[in-house]
Amino acid sequence: MKNVLLPVILLIVCACQHEANKPNSNILDIDNLNYGWSSVYDSITHHVTIESPWGARGWGYGEEKDTSTYFDASAYDNVVVNIEGIKGPVSKLNIIVLYADKEVVSRDLSTIVEGATTMRLDLDRKAKSKLKSVFLMSDSLCEMDIKSAYFDKAHHYGPAEELKMSNIGIISSDQFEGYSDNALVEFTFESEGEMIGVDKYGNTVNMNGWAVGIICSAADILGADLPTRGMVLKNIGVQKTTCLLGDIRYLLSLQDDDGECGIFWTVWKTGNITDIRVVSTTIAEAID
């Protein structure tokens, strides 16, 4: 009898474990940001305080070394976090996703406009079924209020149209007219070399997630005074940085000295990157 029951018990245990890893909601609980370091979170006000440079706060599933506990996000394509009340000299606000496969990391930067931003990040297609954590990380001390957070499915888009750049790299705002805030803007660039760099401590590190570009208003092409959107390195070769048009509307509304509006973007070499260059910019309207 014992020999009969044992396989049955094992099947029940495995089934329960499997179900525990299945998502029952696409909502990330903003009452319970249980993951992070060098940070404090108030579960009543949803207020985050980052107490030192590169402090972080977010959501974690099990201990970091426990690869059997994770969130199954295979039904979703991206994660979205809405933030308001951002205070402090933060210039690089990161959103990062880690997976049970420790070799895979998803990471992006966001634009902060008047103390608010929407962080959006595409999940890794192969690793998202075993997601370990989602968190925000700041380059400096700051405070912020988490308004909402959730996993989402990708929109479907119509044909992509290539946007024209002036001889100095400006994309005029009139080329974005007629598109909704959900239209997808893709910035494509190409890199050559190796994904290796040296950090401030002299250690050789993988440069995945390092800033290698900037998207800014044509009114401030140096990105010195007005909000900007960073671009991060993900691999060697052709790669894309994407955002929704609504994420850069503010940049398009600002005028330069000649009264023109638009955006400017550029990329630069760092670490063992031997060459990096702008390829194209496209826009496609959401159709669902």
Side-chain angles (χ1 to χ4, degrees):
M1 185 67 175
K2 289 182 179 179
N3 291 336
V4 175
L5 288 176
L6 183 58
V8 175
I9 293 171
L10 288 174
L11 283 173
I12 293 173
V13 170
C14 290
C16 290
Q17 177 65 41
H18 181 69
E19 289 303 317
N21 292 331
K22 282 289 185 181
N24 54 19
S25 172
N26 71 319
I27 304 300
L28 283 161
D29 185 4
I30 64 171
D31 291 336
N32 183 30
L33 273 70
N34 63 335
Y35 181 82
W37 57 90
S38 301
S39 63
V40 176
Y41 183 67
D42 187 320
S43 62
I44 303 300
T45 62
H46 308 138
H47 187 76
V48 172
T49 302
I50 303 295
E51 298 183 310
S52 65
W54 306 114
R57 179 61 54 169
W59 299 264
Y61 302 91
E63 297 296 326
E64 290 188 15
K65 295 182 179 180
D66 176 12
T67 57
S68 65
T69 304
Y70 49 80
F71 180 80
D72 182 354
S74 56
Y76 307 106
D77 300 298
N78 52 59
V79 61
V80 182
V81 182
N82 292 304
I83 309 168
E84 296 180 357
I86 302 171
K87 299 177 182 178
V90 54
S91 60
K92 291 183 175 65
L93 185 57
N94 297 253
I95 180 170
I96 300 172
V97 172
L98 302 180
Y99 307 90
D101 183 349
K102 297 186 181 300
E103 298 299 316
V104 182
V105 178
S106 299
R107 183 170 184 165
D108 209 347
L109 301 169
S110 188
T111 305
I112 299 171
V113 178
E114 297 178 348
T117 189
T118 295
M119 309 288 289
R120 292 186 180 88
L121 179 64
D122 291 338
L123 303 176
D124 185 272
R125 292 182 181 180
K126 294 181 179 180
K128 64 182 180 180
S129 63
K130 295 182 178 181
L131 186 152
K132 287 295 296 178
S133 59
V134 177
F135 57 95
L136 307 173
M137 185 170 69
S138 170
D139 65 334
S140 61
L141 284 69
C142 67
E143 299 178 40
M144 65 189 82
D145 298 315
I146 310 299
K147 305 306 293 182
S148 63
Y150 56 93
F151 293 101
D152 200 8
K153 294 184 178 181
H155 289 282
H156 294 93
Y157 297 93
E161 298 288 338
E162 185 166 353
L163 302 173
K164 297 178 181 179
M165 304 176 73
S166 72
N167 59 348
I168 60 171
I170 302 295
I171 302 173
S172 58
S173 61
D174 63 288
Q175 297 183 68
F176 297 92
E177 292 177 0
Y179 288 95
S180 72
D181 282 352
N182 286 326
L184 181 71
V185 185
E186 290 189 332
F187 304 87
T188 302
F189 62 95
E190 186 173 12
S191 61
E192 297 178 7
E194 298 179 312
M195 291 280 290
I196 300 297
V198 178
D199 64 17
K200 63 180 181 179
Y201 303 107
N203 301 314
T204 299
V205 295
N206 187 303
M207 295 191 303
N208 186 353
W210 282 32
V212 292
I214 192 172
I215 306 166
C216 51
S217 168
D220 181 27
I221 62 174
L222 297 179
D225 301 314
L226 301 173
T228 61
R229 187 177 186 88
M231 308 174 75
V232 301
L233 186 69
K234 299 175 183 176
N235 57 265
I236 297 298
V238 176
Q239 56 202 283
K240 300 177 185 292
T241 291
T242 63
C243 68
L244 300 187
L245 180 55
D247 296 334
I248 57 172
R249 285 283 191 196
Y250 179 76
L251 301 180
L252 290 164
S253 69
L254 305 170
Q255 294 185 352
D256 63 14
D257 293 337
D258 298 320
E260 299 294 331
C261 301
I263 58 171
F264 171 83
W265 72 281
T266 188
V267 288
W268 54 75
K269 293 187 291 185
T270 186
N272 283 6
I273 298 297
T274 56
D275 189 30
I276 190 166
R277 53 194 172 274
V278 170
V279 175
S280 65
T281 310
T282 62
I283 187 168
E285 184 59 85
I287 57 176
D288 62 355

